[in-house]
Amino acid sequence: DSYAIFLLEKNVGDIKSVLMDMSRYLTIWSIVCHCVLFFFLSLFDLIRMASSREPVKFFRVTVRMFFVAVCFPLGLVVPILFWTLYAVDRDLVWPKYMSDELPLYENHVLHTLP
């Protein structure tokens, strides 16, 4: 919510420039990967609940490989890199003007939980 207000106050002209600006951050890629993973896991569970059969083994293996190869490493790298850089030089990864827009607890949720 606060980030959307920050973007609106920035007077960004179109949504494409906002998405291009956000897509350069590893945190956003991590969140997108985790959302894709949770979508497919939910779909997998719905298929299992709706029918008595197990879903295709290829689907199950693909989702597991996506987690092992993409989501888990991103889930480790993003918090470790962000908080290490934050401890060394805060302005490098989180400038002062961002702290006014996003409080510390939102920063923590954004860079630690996924």
Side-chain angles (χ1 to χ4, degrees), residues 77-94:
V77 167
V78 167
I80 290 171
L81 280 178
F82 179 83
W83 291 112
T84 303
L85 289 172
Y86 188 88
V88 172
D89 184 13
R90 179 180 178 202
D91 289 332
L92 183 65
V93 291
W94 200 256

Side-chain angles (χ1 to χ4, degrees), residues 3-84:
Y3 189 67
I5 293 170
F6 169 72
L7 290 175
L8 291 175
E9 289 175 355
K10 199 174 160 185
N11 294 326
V12 177
D14 59 331
I15 192 71
K16 185 177 180 180
S17 64
V18 172
L19 292 176
M20 292 303 290
D21 188 41
M22 288 176 56
S23 68
R24 65 182 175 166
Y25 297 112
L26 191 60
T27 302
I28 302 299
W29 284 102
S30 175
I31 291 170
V32 168
C33 286
H34 280 88
C35 288
V36 168
L37 175 72
F38 292 139
F39 170 76
F40 282 116
L41 288 174
S42 299
L43 184 66
F44 182 73
D45 286 341
L46 287 174
I47 291 171
R48 277 196 340 201
M49 288 189 301
S51 68
S52 59
R53 296 184 351 219
E54 284 287 319
V56 181
K57 185 177 180 181
F58 174 76
F59 180 71
R60 190 174 62 233
V61 170
T62 303
V63 169
R64 286 182 183 169
M65 287 301 294
F66 181 70
F67 172 73
V68 169
V70 178
C71 291
F72 184 73
L74 277 177
L76 284 177
V77 167
V78 167
I80 290 171
L81 280 178
F82 179 83
W83 291 112
T84 303

